[in-house]
Amino acid sequence: MNKLKGNEIIRTYLDFFKSKGHTEIESASLIPRDDPTVLWINAGVTPLKKYFDGTIIPQNRRLTSCQKCIRTGDIESVGKTARHHTFFQMLGNFSIGDYFKEEALTWAMELLTSPKYFGIPVEKLYVTVYPNDTEAYKLWVKLGMPKEHIIKLRGNYWEIGEGPSGPDSEIFYDRGPKYDPDNVGIKLLKQEIENDRYIEIWNNVFSQYNAKEGVPREKYEELPSKNIDTGMGVERMACILQGTETNYETDLFMPIMHGIEEIAHIPYLGQMEYKVIADHIRTLTFALSDGASFENYGRGYVLRRLLRRAARMGRKLNIARTFMADLIDIVVDNYREVYPDLEHNRPMIKKLITKEEELFQKTLLQGEKRLDEIFTTSKEKVISGLDAFKLYDTYGYPIELTEEVASEKGFKIDYEGFERFMEIQKEQARRSRKTVNSMNVQNELLLNYKEPSEFIGYDTLGSKTYIQEIIKNGKFVNKCNTECYIFVKDNPFYAESGGQAADKGYLKNNSCKLEVLDVIKCPNKQHLIKVRVLDGTIIKGESILTHVDLPSREATARNHSATHILQKTLQEVLGDSVHQAGSRVDDKSFRFDFTYRGRLSDEILVDIEKKVNAKIKKNTKTKIEYMPISEAKKTGAMALFEDKYEDIVRVVTIGSSIELCGGTHVSNTQDIGPFAILKIENKGSDTYRIEGTTGNNIERELREVIKPYTTEIAKLLAKSKDLIKQAKKEKVECYFDFNIDYQLLDSYSDVVYYKDALERLKISVKKLEKEVNDEIANKSLSNTDAFMKILEQINGMNVIVATTKNYEISVLKQLVDNLANSLDNAFILLANLGKNSVNIICKTNIDKKEIHCGNIVKDICTKCSGNGGGNQFFAQGGGSDASNVDKYLKEVKKMLKNS
């Protein structure tokens, strides 16, 4: 058996399958693109779904890769088992409708057992197969696998909802009786018992059936395109070939272990704390390098949790400082040969981890402070489930740390209560999780249709061609007079792809007139046109004239070219760390998503907009070239990281912007016309979305953007007029001066103007409202005649019980003091009505036990859905329900009469 290092295992695997005609593809980013079903790329096949479901047919149907993966379903198990990791590398070979079982298993046997490659003795290997898969069973026997080493298991079937599915065959390595202390033997495999003896090292999935809900597995239809999907974990294979106790003693982890030893000054002897730190620092390094960030939700929350768990393990090793960033260099140096991006992102990763660990240290202090409060106030010496959960959820204080500190103080934890709150949180997360099927059902009709249909839309917007096929209700038909799909021989209509919307337009001949509703790129690269029949009947084989809607195509081209210039400008202003994260372009506007770790102010956006317009005005010609992808990369051409490109690519150069792009563009930047940013949105995970437009669309689109601002401005101006009228009515003076200059609407600075105007107006109206209310109140303070007019004599007492409106509490209190101080035997109670509330102040200078201001106010406020209180001579309070205040005031007067 050949003792290979981790990187040598990867290279041996990939080179082997390249020798078998496979194309090596780079690992996709750990952050999924356009896939809401997963937080992370979690398997080698995940980035290749579009090939497996038939959406796209790759140039080479044989592919091989080493894919970075993250799985975080059971974080707490990491460090406790020999092979559980949050980050791992998955080797895979894939066949998209090319070879099948015979080749897959033959090559697997060759790679595993040949001395030229891994050199594993065949007697150390065991395989499992699906009971009904006699073909796989016979193939293993033919390849020399002993029959007693082939185990039939019902669980050997791969299926995730509707779509591609099929039997699989897992390959295991027998580590011998040393890892089988109870001498259970082959039963461990047959009964699928968790064990350390038989280690799964490779799985071959034979994707050959279309799974359908409600249909028995035996009746699944065969796929039109059978596929092979395999997966070999690099970490497990390293453990086998290097003969280590666990994955953590391989060369993939030991450099990290040595780094921790230097920090902790404790030798590594298999401690769980070492394993957790080593695993989590790998995950953090790769995830942050691929653009993830620390946040309070989604994948950012997962990273935060990993860092905090690792930091806590450091405390258990008596590391009393931040240390995680010190391990980054070791991870990068160990993996940069396979993943060169790590080297470029090294400083950024260190900075983010240092900042987050320092934040956690502060969080720990806050948690300790909260624990001290619990220790001081709790009489039962028990930390409740709710308190333990809040420490975990709010302060990031792990339950294990709470347990450790609690035991030192002689406290116990209500674990049942804690688990109950944790389960509630998990259930909420489960409910909010999207349930989208991971694979589409293959469309046999389109997969098998290979008649060429040439796209001529780069050079012409119309031509005479003929109708190749008509599709209605999933079947080819010879004629149709309703909405359907058609193929034409020469097609000028652009199909939606690369973020650019499909063309609009018409087709016409003597038999029919058709409107283009959509254009779809098919697996075999033809453009399928969805049409509405405006007149007549479509007849297969007839000649027809095509006509692309010119204004729509030109407007779309303007917006598309503008996004190229925008991306380059963003990189020039914000730095090379800016990368496109998606886009959408049509004839009305565009949206452009990009990654950036920083804050974007309105001033920066206005500056970017000006720079884009300056580039547009340079009248630069657009250059379009076709070249090998290797040559395109040398030019510095930008491309979407996860997109797979052909060997020959289309390179679009507009000034300093060079991009791989299949979309339509202007021939000269002067054709774009004016450019405007409409809005900016923070999408989270350090991703921003800019929406914008060009040309004649600007005024219309900007008017929609500022509409919420102008609507609110109009409401506030109307309110200011009402306040001024009220001031005049009450004969008090006030001052209000606010001017707004309505803009021409041609740039983002206009959006900024209205946004700022709204904020200024809010402040001005609030100030005016306070001024008017204060003046009215002050007038009331200086003139108590109005209240003296409602004074009542009750049982020899001078009583004023009344309602007021919109008084400040301080003014109301002063008014009550003034009235009470000016009268003997006085009882004053004022209920001040606000918009959705009531405030009550009561004062008396009468010394009678039955007249107690605190009790009276508390009673009223309780009835008004609030609270209040005080002493015998003064009280105040409030409530949220003022609907029956008049009734309660009458009850107070009645009480006074009976006192």
Side-chain angles (χ1 to χ4, degrees):
M1 192 160 64
N2 298 325
K3 189 172 183 178
L4 302 179
K5 292 181 178 180
N7 289 352
E8 292 173 333
I9 293 169
I10 293 170
R11 200 65 262 156
T12 299
Y13 187 102
L14 296 177
D15 287 346
F16 174 83
F17 281 102
K18 284 171 71 176
S19 74
K20 306 298 183 185
H22 292 63
T23 295
E24 179 184 341
I25 54 176
E26 290 182 14
S27 172
S29 167
L30 284 163
I31 300 173
R33 180 172 169 236
D34 298 329
D35 187 350
T37 65
V38 288
L39 272 183
W40 306 99
I41 294 297
N42 57 11
V45 71
T46 307
L48 308 178
K49 288 178 184 177
K50 57 190 174 185
Y51 298 145
F52 278 82
D53 65 22
T55 304
I56 296 175
I57 294 176
Q59 188 175 12
N60 184 358
R61 290 174 177 266
R62 298 183 179 189
L63 305 171
T64 187
S65 70
C66 180
Q67 175 60 48
K68 299 172 288 187
C69 301
I70 288 179
R71 292 181 188 171
T72 56
D74 194 11
I75 291 173
E76 302 304 328
S77 295
V78 173
K80 297 177 183 177
T81 68
R83 292 166 297 281
H84 195 93
H85 304 297
T86 52
F87 170 84
F88 59 95
Q89 303 164 90
M90 184 69 78
L91 289 162
N93 55 287
F94 310 96
S95 167
I96 318 296
D98 189 70
Y99 63 84
F100 202 49
K101 288 182 189 178
E102 184 169 4
E103 294 89 341
L105 298 186
T106 300
W107 291 336
M109 195 68 156
E110 181 184 359
L111 178 59
L112 289 173
T113 61
S114 169
K116 186 179 176 182
Y117 304 112
F118 294 146
I120 299 174
V122 69
E123 61 268 20
K124 299 292 288 181
L125 296 176
Y126 286 76
V127 298
T128 58
V129 296
Y130 188 60
N132 295 359
D133 192 358
T134 54
E135 182 185 359
Y137 182 89
K138 290 178 181 178
L139 277 168
W140 280 122
V141 173
K142 178 183 173 183
L143 292 167
M145 186 67 67
K147 288 183 179 181
E148 62 272 19
H149 284 214
I150 307 172
I151 314 298
K152 295 180 179 181
L153 293 175
R154 293 293 301 175
N156 278 86
Y157 197 94
W158 182 84
E159 185 174 357
I160 50 169
E162 289 201 348
S165 70
D168 62 67
S169 182
E170 297 170 316
I171 305 172
F172 292 80
Y173 177 84
D174 178 10
R175 298 212 294 172
K178 176 184 174 182
Y179 297 95
D180 182 11
D182 297 326
N183 203 27
V184 178
I186 197 64
K187 284 184 181 179
L188 294 171
L189 262 185
K190 290 181 176 179
Q191 297 177 16
E192 299 184 77
I193 300 170
E194 184 68 30
N195 70 93
D196 290 325
R197 176 172 179 173
Y198 300 98
I199 305 302
E200 182 194 342
I201 56 174
W202 203 351
N203 188 17
N204 283 258
V205 178
F206 313 122
S207 184
Q208 62 187 108
Y209 299 107
N210 248 338
K212 289 276 189 181
E213 189 176 350
V215 177
R217 190 175 281 172
E218 294 73 20
K219 295 185 178 180
Y220 288 167
E221 292 182 3
E222 288 213 348
L223 290 170
S225 173
K226 295 183 178 69
N227 304 318
I228 290 290
D229 157 25
T230 81
M232 173 189 285
V234 175
E235 287 77 10
R236 289 191 178 198
M237 201 62 187
C239 177
I240 298 302
L241 295 182
Q242 294 173 28
T244 60
E245 191 81 12
T246 75
N247 295 0
Y248 292 98
E249 287 75 51
T250 67
D251 72 303
L252 297 170
F253 286 95
M254 282 309 294
I256 306 173
M257 300 306 189
H258 295 322
I260 301 169
E261 284 178 327
E262 289 184 15
I263 297 169
H265 305 295
I266 299 172
Y268 170 60
L269 300 171
Q271 300 96 315
M272 183 187 78
E273 292 82 2
Y274 272 84
K275 294 175 182 178
V276 170
I277 294 168
D279 174 272
H280 291 4
I281 195 63
R282 282 204 321 166
T283 306
L284 291 165
T285 300
F286 278 90
L288 293 171
S289 180
D290 278 357
S293 59
F294 295 105
E295 292 180 294
N296 286 327
Y297 56 90
R299 65 178 66 92
Y301 179 75
V302 171
L303 296 187
R304 181 159 281 169
R305 186 178 166 198
L306 292 177
L307 182 137
R308 293 181 174 190
R309 185 167 186 253
R312 184 178 69 81
M313 293 299 165
R315 287 171 71 99
K316 285 193 168 188
L317 293 173
N318 298 320
I319 302 173
R321 64 175 178 86
T322 57
F323 69 94
M324 298 286 286
D326 296 348
L327 301 172
I328 300 301
D329 286 334
I330 299 171
V331 178
V332 172
D333 291 344
N334 205 29
Y335 289 91
R336 63 184 173 184
E337 180 184 331
V338 179
Y339 309 102
D341 282 353
L342 290 174
E343 181 63 54
H344 175 74
N345 294 323
R346 185 195 300 248
M348 175 268 292
I349 299 167
K350 281 186 176 182
K351 182 179 177 182
L352 291 173
I353 285 184
T354 299
K355 183 179 177 182
E356 182 64 22
E357 194 175 5
E358 287 173 350
L359 173 66
F360 181 48
Q361 294 298 326
K362 293 176 184 176
T363 299
L364 279 175
L365 292 174
Q366 292 171 345
E368 288 167 353
K369 184 179 178 182
R370 174 65 189 129
L371 268 173
D372 286 339
E373 291 173 1
I374 294 170
F375 294 146
T376 304
T377 57
S378 176
K379 295 178 181 177
E380 293 82 11
K381 289 212 164 191
V382 174
I383 298 176
S384 71
L386 179 59
D387 281 332
F389 175 74
K390 283 184 176 178
L391 282 164
Y392 172 84
D393 192 54
T394 304
Y395 297 98
Y397 214 76
I399 186 66
E400 296 89 349
L401 196 54
T402 303
E403 178 185 23
E404 184 182 317
V405 179
S407 64
E408 292 171 2
K409 298 284 185 179
F411 272 64
K412 294 181 179 179
I413 297 172
D414 174 14
Y415 283 104
E416 280 190 21
F418 173 76
E419 292 298 336
R420 190 164 58 249
F421 283 107
M422 287 292 290
E423 191 55 42
I424 290 170
Q425 185 188 59
K426 289 176 184 176
E427 182 60 29
Q428 289 171 341
R430 282 192 288 266
R431 287 176 182 172
S432 64
R433 208 173 284 148
K434 292 185 179 180
T435 54
V436 183
N437 284 338
S438 293
M439 292 276 193
N440 294 327
V441 177
Q442 289 183 353
N443 189 316
E444 186 172 1
L445 198 73
L446 296 180
L447 282 170
N448 292 333
Y449 183 73
K450 297 179 180 177
E451 191 71 24
S453 171
E454 185 181 358
F455 175 63
I456 59 173
Y458 290 137
D459 304 312
T460 181
L461 298 182
S463 69
K464 185 176 182 180
T465 184
Y466 71 89
I467 301 166
Q468 292 175 302
E469 295 290 349
I470 306 167
I471 300 175
K472 181 68 179 177
N473 297 328
K475 295 180 181 179
F476 287 120
V477 296
N478 291 322
K479 58 176 64 177
C480 186
N481 59 6
T482 59
E483 193 173 291
C484 60
Y485 296 87
I486 64 171
F487 285 111
V488 296
K489 175 62 179 171
D490 299 307
N491 167 52
F493 300 104
Y494 184 86
E496 180 170 344
S497 61
Q500 180 175 323
D503 274 331
K504 299 173 183 176
Y506 296 90
L507 300 94
K508 186 179 181 181
N509 63 14
N510 292 332
S511 302
C512 62
K513 182 178 181 183
L514 315 175
E515 179 187 2
V516 175
L517 300 178
D518 197 6
V519 189
I520 303 159
K521 190 175 283 187
C522 294
N524 293 302
K525 298 182 178 139
Q526 312 98 327
H527 289 194
L528 180 63
I529 308 167
K530 183 180 182 180
V531 295
R532 176 189 291 127
V533 179
L534 301 177
D535 186 38
T537 299
I538 313 171
I539 300 173
K540 177 182 174 179
E542 282 194 344
S543 297
I544 198 163
L545 295 173
T546 59
H547 173 73
V548 175
D549 186 308
L550 179 60
S552 175
R553 166 69 80 87
E554 289 181 337
T556 302
R558 287 195 294 269
N559 286 331
H560 198 157
S561 296
T563 64
H564 282 222
I565 299 172
L566 172 64
Q567 177 169 207
K568 187 63 179 177
T569 306
L570 285 166
Q571 291 177 334
E572 290 169 353
V573 174
L574 303 177
D576 291 336
S577 63
V578 169
H579 295 292
Q580 182 177 344
S583 67
R584 170 71 183 176
V585 177
D586 59 28
D587 54 352
K588 292 183 177 61
S589 61
F590 68 82
R591 69 168 188 254
F592 183 79
D593 296 349
F594 62 98
T595 58
Y596 174 61
R597 287 188 172 95
R599 182 178 168 275
L600 286 177
S601 65
D602 285 333
E603 291 75 17
I604 291 174
L605 291 171
V606 169
D607 180 52
I608 289 168
E609 183 184 66
K610 286 178 180 177
K611 282 181 165 61
V612 171
N613 276 307
K615 290 180 179 181
I616 289 170
K617 290 175 182 176
K618 286 183 178 180
N619 297 349
T620 305
K621 289 184 178 179
T622 299
K623 184 167 70 172
I624 295 176
E625 303 170 278
Y626 293 85
M627 62 182 73
I629 190 166
S630 57
E631 189 179 326
K633 286 181 177 178
K634 290 177 184 177
T635 69
M638 288 184 284
L640 279 175
F641 187 81
E642 293 87 349
D643 276 5
K644 311 299 178 190
Y645 294 94
E646 305 288 343
D647 289 339
I648 302 298
V649 293
R650 185 172 184 259
V651 181
V652 177
T653 303
I654 307 175
S656 58
S657 166
I658 309 173
E659 293 194 34
L660 304 188
C661 180
T664 60
H665 290 275
V666 297
S667 58
N668 190 299
T669 57
Q670 68 178 350
D671 299 330
I672 298 174
F675 164 90
I677 292 174
L678 300 173
K679 61 174 75 168
I680 180 81
E681 182 181 357
N682 188 336
K683 304 294 289 181
S685 299
D686 294 323
T687 302
Y688 288 89
R689 170 172 292 173
I690 284 179
E691 293 185 32
T693 191
T694 57
N696 296 330
N697 292 329
I698 289 178
E699 184 177 357
R700 181 190 69 245
E701 296 297 326
L702 278 174
R703 196 166 297 285
E704 285 301 308
V705 172
I706 67 163
K707 193 173 182 179
Y709 302 126
T710 54
T711 301
E712 190 64 23
I713 285 170
K715 289 179 181 177
L716 287 171
L717 288 174
K719 182 177 180 179
S720 68
K721 288 180 181 179
D722 291 339
L723 287 168
I724 292 169
K725 284 180 183 178
Q726 184 184 0
K728 287 180 179 178
K729 182 180 178 182
E730 297 289 342
K731 297 180 180 179
V732 297
E733 292 186 3
C734 65
Y735 177 77
F736 181 74
D737 182 22
F738 185 86
N739 293 313
I740 182 165
D741 297 323
Y742 289 95
Q743 305 297 296
L744 291 173
L745 300 182
D746 59 7
S747 70
Y748 184 69
S749 58
D750 298 323
V751 178
V752 175
Y753 174 82
Y754 282 106
K755 191 164 38 169
D756 291 345
L758 177 58
E759 292 306 311
R760 287 188 291 109
L761 183 56
K762 284 179 180 177
I763 294 168
S764 295
V765 173
K766 187 175 181 180
K767 183 179 177 183
L768 173 65
E769 188 172 23
K770 186 177 185 306
E771 185 181 344
V772 170
N773 289 335
D774 286 352
E775 286 299 319
I776 292 172
N778 289 332
K779 183 181 176 184
S780 299
L781 285 176
S782 61
N783 182 9
T784 58
D785 291 348
F787 291 96
M788 290 302 181
K789 288 178 181 178
I790 60 171
L791 185 147
E792 297 180 63
Q793 293 288 330
I794 301 177
N795 284 345
M797 296 179 286
N798 292 309
V799 176
I800 299 176
V801 175
T803 58
T804 59
K805 283 189 178 180
N806 299 320
Y807 278 42
E808 291 289 329
I809 298 299
S810 58
V811 175
L812 188 69
K813 189 176 178 181
Q814 184 63 51
L815 179 59
V816 170
D817 281 342
N818 289 354
L819 291 170
N821 293 337
S822 65
L823 296 167
D824 294 327
N825 293 326
F827 178 90
I828 313 296
L829 188 150
L830 296 183
N832 184 64
L833 304 176
K835 188 175 181 181
N836 294 306
S837 63
V838 58
N839 288 294
I840 296 172
I841 295 182
C842 180
K843 187 169 185 177
T844 185
N845 49 28
I846 301 167
D847 189 4
K848 277 188 178 183
K849 288 184 180 180
E850 56 268 34
I851 300 177
H852 191 287
C853 292
N855 293 341
I856 294 168
V857 170
K858 185 177 180 65
D859 180 58
I860 298 173
C861 292
T862 301
K863 292 175 180 176
C864 292
S865 301
N867 204 355
N871 56 36
Q872 181 180 345
F873 301 102
F874 177 81
Q876 66 181 42
S880 59
D881 181 5
S883 57
N884 292 310
V885 167
D886 289 338
K887 174 186 173 184
Y888 304 143
L889 297 190
K890 286 178 183 178
E891 290 174 356
V892 171
K893 288 182 184 180
K894 185 177 180 181
M895 180 274 295
L896 292 172
K897 288 177 182 177
N898 295 329
S899 65

